[in-house]
Amino acid sequence: MRINRLAAATAVVATLALTATACGGGSSTSGSGDNSSPKTLTYWASNQGTSLENDKQVLEPELRKFEQQTGIKVKLEVIPWSDLLNRILAATTSGQGPDVLNIGNTWSASLQATGALLPFDDAAFGKIGGKDRFLPATIASAGAAGKDPAAVPLYSMAYGLYYNKKMFQAAGIERPPATWDELIADGQKLTKDGKFGIAVEGGNVSENVHHAFTLGKQHGADFFDASGKPAFDTPEAVAAIKQYVDLIAKDKIAASGNAEYANNQTVTDFATGKVGMMMWQSAGANLKSHGMNPDDYGVATVPVPAGASGTKLTSSMVAGINLAVFKNTKNLNGALDFVKFMTGKDEQIQLNRTYGSLPPVKDAQGDPAFATPELQALSKVLGTSAQPLPQVANESQFETLVGTAVKNLLAAAAAGKPVTDDSVKAELTKAQQQMPAN
Amino acid sequence: MRQRLGRLRLTTSGLPYLLLLPALLLELLIHLVPMVVGIVMSFKQLTQFFIRDWSSAPWTGLGNYHLAVDFSAPVGQSLLNSFWVTCAFTILAVGLSWLVGTTAAIMMQDAFRGRGLLRAAFLLPYALPVYAAVITWSFMFQRDTGLINHVLHDQLHLTSDRPFWLIGDNSFTALVTVSVWRSWPFAFLTLTAGLQNIPRELYEAAAMDGAGIWQQIRRITLPSLRPVNLVLVLVLFLWTFNDFNTPYVLFGKSAPEASDLISIHIYQSSFVTWNFGAGSAMSVLLLLFLLLVTSVYLFITSRRRGADD
């Protein structure tokens, strides 16, 4: 029977909510978990590998290592990205969540606001070996400023400008572009014979918002004012987003078909030599699976405006995965032991190497596995020119609404409709007014 | 003997209710309770700050409803847009599904070689898992690599440029196409069953009186199918109006404006922008609208049937 899916979804949440209250709901007011079942943990891992099965193969041996060390058995569940946020919400509503879980680091402040995650205060950090072990930029993306972080960083990533060395050589370009003017000039040289200068993942809302944020920083837009109120449609933000959409609309160095890309077609296009550049995070493993030799591409910092300084030099958001502990865990000590284990030097090297990401833990970064030109370039970005997305409670809504606005603008550009300051501003105003009032 | 009879009567009178009890309880739990909870939520300011213990969220009175129906502000505007899109989509998709289903059912009425096979093939879309079927459509609708543009542009040269099907205004056409493809087999199946109840003698008599095929369809087939059609159209209307799977698989969490169906719009309001109170209010409004349409429909059709008798 095809019942109304929405009613079903609402009903599920509602029922979960009801069960939570029916079960006393006391847990929602109490401070943190207890240690009543010290021998087991449940871990929700996000999908980092090529498939859910692949993730299980990577993680299971590590979990067994942890069991040997501590005697605590970890039940693993790998959750695809598309479901992760909804699953966390359902767990929050019901109080029946995992003990330890992965969250996208940009969601940190939003999830922090639900009060479902254990705050990492000094005591909690003490139990996992201290706050100083982590890169400061990655800690800054683990919760709102001035509050104890709601999570700790686990895998880090940053955006870099990937460029095809052979195509650059053939077009007579000597080095990767450092400014946007150079990028557009290079892009125009590369755009010919059905090939394009750069590819953008226009149908992917998250990708869109990441670039909107980076370009926004370069233009001096923050998207939230000092009091945390949304300010999406400032002239700076309009300029930033127009510049991005113009890659298709005005500069025409990206194919209009890119407006539809949402399944990593950008990487495919880059690996198969259809485009000369892309802005991507940790693409190495993916490019390899498409048969691209690491020597055939280079990774540079994403361009900045000529003469930029300070935060206008921002070239990436701080991307990555954080590790959080559910507040009403029944095994608080075990959960913290597990966080300590996963963020320990050995596991950090092992896991980040497998996933092609960077360790946010300082003492793991020296490992030769991270000395590839690609990872060194990204590591430099992370250390010097990456900024965390706004760490405000409404961050997840900002991601969706602004990302969708950019998606709509790219779709309009691809269909040949004019993109003007006014049309960009109108989309952003609409997005801002859809933010729930808090 | 008398005693036994008495006990038997007692059991027979109590037993049905006892047997109904589990179903009644489940109905209460699965349908009524969440519905009431949903209605309560629609009066609360339920955002991420309160989802851990939703009952503690502050009351906002009709605030969420004001937000939903304030058509001068973006939230109301986009809800209204979504409502009109859904109406147009429903009318087109139900109308076409009905037309295709009826035509196929009438054409398949007379036995011919291979009829069974063809009938089975017709039901295929109905039997396929929704997700698999719709994702295949989304591959076919891809602008640069999809089958649709390959046929339209490369082979038939019907379009000057490759149109986009999954973004922009054309997405509405794509949505209607997939929806009709999915629901016409149900119309076909129902109408085939309905057709089998019409006595063949009626057609024979009409043919003898000199009635042509169109007259036979108009005077015999359609009136005889009337009771079946009444239910069929209502069911198709409700399913189509609420369809969530098709747009979600085709377009993901944020549909293009031209095909922003109300179900996905409410999903986005509640689960993507985390405004569960506003989402609940929109759901309640949708429920009221569908109740209204259904009752008006049932009222009109039952009255007309009364007049016919």
Side-chain angles (χ1 to χ4, degrees):
Chain A
M1 173 105 178
R2 291 194 300 182
I3 52 162
N4 176 353
R5 265 319 179 81
L6 183 77
T10 322
V12 169
V13 170
T15 327
L16 286 174
L18 195 81
T19 1
T21 29
C23 295
S27 54
S28 57
T29 45
S30 72
S32 60
D34 54 63
N35 288 302
S36 56
S37 55
K39 285 294 150 205
T40 56
L41 283 175
T42 310
Y43 176 46
W44 282 4
S46 57
N47 177 206
Q48 297 297 316
T50 48
S51 66
L52 302 187
E53 277 312 307
N54 170 260
D55 276 310
K56 282 183 193 151
Q57 282 167 7
V58 171
L59 292 170
E60 288 288 1
E62 310 306 315
L63 302 181
R64 270 197 297 278
K65 231 187 273 174
F66 178 69
E67 187 180 352
Q68 275 167 8
Q69 286 175 16
T70 60
I72 299 173
K73 193 168 166 39
V74 182
K75 273 199 304 188
L76 170 72
E77 206 177 324
V78 184
I79 300 174
W81 265 114
S82 48
D83 293 347
L84 188 58
L85 193 56
N86 279 353
R87 288 285 294 275
I88 298 174
L89 283 182
T92 305
T93 335
S94 65
Q96 311 285 310
D99 301 284
V100 184
L101 71 159
N102 281 182
I103 61 176
N105 70 348
T106 61
W107 307 333
S108 297
S110 292
L111 290 171
Q112 185 177 38
T114 67
L117 303 180
L118 181 82
F120 275 82
D121 52 16
D122 291 342
F125 264 122
K127 285 186 186 165
I128 64 161
K131 196 178 192 170
D132 300 336
R133 296 198 297 124
F134 300 93
L135 269 191
T138 60
I139 290 280
S141 62
K147 287 188 185 166
D148 290 325
V152 296
L154 179 65
Y155 313 127
S156 286
M157 283 164 256
Y159 278 89
L161 180 76
Y162 287 71
Y163 61 97
N164 184 319
K165 287 181 185 169
K166 280 181 194 158
M167 285 174 74
F168 266 49
Q169 210 172 5
I173 308 168
E174 283 173 4
R175 53 185 174 81
T179 67
W180 284 105
D181 294 339
E182 286 173 22
L183 181 133
I184 289 160
D186 291 347
Q188 281 162 347
K189 283 183 205 158
L190 294 163
T191 305
K192 59 181 177 196
D193 311 329
K195 293 181 176 178
F196 281 87
I198 192 167
V200 296
E201 194 83 359
N204 184 325
V205 169
S206 308
E207 290 279 327
N208 286 341
V209 83
H210 295 164
H211 298 307
F213 168 77
T214 303
L215 284 165
K217 279 281 177 198
Q218 296 185 357
H219 282 85
D222 280 325
F223 294 103
F224 288 91
D225 66 17
S227 63
K229 288 221 165 59
F232 296 170
D233 58 356
T234 57
E236 293 85 8
V238 170
I241 287 165
K242 180 156 187 303
Q243 185 193 334
Y244 187 63
V245 177
D246 272 346
L247 293 175
I248 288 181
K250 193 180 105 218
D251 310 321
K252 301 192 192 299
I253 58 170
S256 53
N258 288 186
E260 197 177 67
Y261 283 10
N263 298 307
N264 300 344
Q265 290 100 321
T266 296
V267 179
T268 316
D269 280 5
F270 182 78
T272 53
K274 277 190 197 157
V275 298
M277 295 178 276
M278 66 170 183
M279 295 180 280
W280 209 263
Q281 33 174 327
S282 308
N286 211 334
L287 291 172
K288 198 171 175 184
S289 75
H290 281 97
M292 192 176 199
N293 190 326
D295 296 332
D296 292 343
Y297 63 85
V299 183
T301 307
V302 168
V304 294
S309 62
T311 53
K312 296 194 176 177
L313 283 171
T314 301
S315 74
S316 172
M317 41 85 75
V318 177
I321 306 299
N322 288 353
L323 195 58
V325 173
F326 227 64
K327 214 184 219 174
N328 41 6
T329 169
K330 295 273 182 286
N331 185 1
L332 182 63
N333 286 339
L336 287 172
D337 280 346
F338 185 62
V339 172
K340 186 179 181 183
F341 171 80
M342 291 291 278
T343 56
K345 185 181 171 187
D346 294 346
E347 293 314 302
Q348 280 289 300
I349 294 173
Q350 166 71 18
L351 291 172
N352 281 295
R353 185 166 58 194
T354 311
Y355 289 135
S357 49
L358 291 163
V361 173
K362 289 175 195 163
D363 61 359
Q365 287 170 337
D367 191 84
F370 309 110
T372 65
E374 181 204 5
L375 290 179
Q376 283 195 320
L378 298 181
S379 178
K380 190 181 146 219
V381 170
L382 205 58
T384 57
S385 63
Q387 295 281 335
L389 283 181
Q391 293 290 321
V392 295
N394 280 334
E395 197 283 331
S396 78
Q397 293 94 321
F398 154 73
E399 258 188 59
T400 317
L401 291 168
V402 172
T404 303
V406 177
K407 177 180 164 179
N408 292 342
L409 289 163
L410 285 169
K417 290 179 194 156
V419 174
T420 62
D421 284 352
D422 288 341
S423 71
V424 174
K425 187 173 162 54
E427 276 291 338
L428 288 174
T429 308
K430 197 175 90 185
Q432 173 167 334
Q433 288 175 332
Q434 280 174 293
M435 289 289 278
N438 277 307
Chain B
M1 184 71 196
R2 239 169 95 178
Q3 214 182 3
R4 251 174 73 189
L5 258 177
R7 198 183 298 159
L8 197 68
R9 199 169 295 141
L10 186 78
T11 22
T12 46
S13 63
L15 194 62
Y17 295 102
L18 201 68
L19 291 176
L20 273 176
L21 200 65
L24 204 70
L25 280 177
L26 279 176
E27 175 68 19
L28 202 71
L29 201 70
I30 295 171
H31 280 130
L32 274 173
V33 171
M35 203 144 94
V36 171
V37 172
I39 293 173
V40 173
M41 280 180 175
S42 73
F43 294 105
K44 288 191 160 238
Q45 194 181 332
L46 194 58
T47 55
Q48 69 261 40
F49 297 100
F50 303 102
I51 55 165
R52 250 185 114 207
D53 180 12
W54 66 273
S55 55
S56 71
W59 293 97
T60 163
L62 289 174
N64 289 323
Y65 290 90
H66 279 304
L67 185 73
V69 299
D70 179 4
F71 299 134
S72 58
V75 174
Q77 249 169 29
S78 56
L79 183 69
L80 189 66
N81 166 61
S82 161
F83 176 75
W84 292 126
V85 167
T86 313
C87 286
F89 164 73
T90 308
I91 291 169
L92 264 172
V94 172
L96 288 172
S97 301
W98 181 85
L99 201 67
V100 176
T102 308
T103 315
I106 290 175
M107 281 165 62
M108 303 288 268
Q109 207 177 358
D110 298 319
F112 57 86
R113 267 173 77 94
R115 181 173 73 158
L117 202 68
L118 207 56
R119 265 188 188 166
F122 279 3
L123 292 180
L124 205 65
Y126 195 59
L128 279 176
V130 179
Y131 190 89
V134 180
I135 200 93
T136 310
W137 274 102
S138 89
F139 290 146
M140 297 202 297
F141 277 122
Q142 295 284 322
R143 175 182 186 255
D144 292 331
T145 52
L147 181 75
I148 309 262
N149 275 351
H150 184 64
V151 172
L152 285 183
H153 184 74
D154 303 348
Q155 296 187 323
L156 301 176
H157 306 291
L158 288 175
T159 52
S160 58
D161 192 19
R162 289 169 170 268
F164 285 100
W165 293 106
L166 297 176
I167 54 176
D169 293 346
N170 287 338
S171 57
F172 185 76
T173 315
L175 188 62
V176 172
T177 309
V178 179
S179 175
V180 171
W181 178 83
R182 275 188 59 198
S183 39
W184 80 266
F186 178 75
F188 167 73
L189 190 69
T190 318
L191 291 167
T192 301
L195 283 175
Q196 276 163 1
N197 284 331
I198 306 175
R200 305 299 298 165
E201 293 82 25
L202 285 179
Y203 290 102
E204 286 160 17
M208 259 208 268
D209 290 341
I213 177 91
W214 285 114
Q215 265 188 315
Q216 286 180 23
I217 289 175
R218 222 163 61 83
R219 307 258 173 200
I220 304 170
T221 313
L222 289 181
S224 314
L225 285 178
R226 202 179 132 73
V228 178
N229 270 327
L230 288 181
V231 178
L232 176 66
V233 169
L234 183 66
V235 169
L236 280 181
F237 165 76
L238 290 174
W239 283 353
T240 312
F241 204 92
N242 277 328
D243 190 8
F244 180 82
N245 295 325
T246 314
Y248 187 79
V249 181
L250 273 185
F251 309 123
K253 283 174 186 165
S254 56
E257 223 163 90
S259 37
D260 185 24
L261 293 190
I262 202 133
S263 57
I264 211 145
H265 188 86
I266 296 177
Y267 170 82
Q268 194 178 4
S269 301
S270 331
F271 292 90
V272 181
T273 53
W274 292 19
N275 200 347
F276 303 94
S280 302
M282 291 178 192
S283 298
V284 171
L285 290 174
L286 178 66
L287 179 75
L288 289 178
F289 172 76
L290 289 178
L291 271 178
L292 182 79
V293 173
T294 310
S295 4
V296 168
Y297 179 85
L298 289 178
F299 178 72
I300 293 175
T301 49
S302 69
R303 218 173 51 160
R304 211 189 290 158
R305 188 160 29 175
D308 283 352
D309 295 344

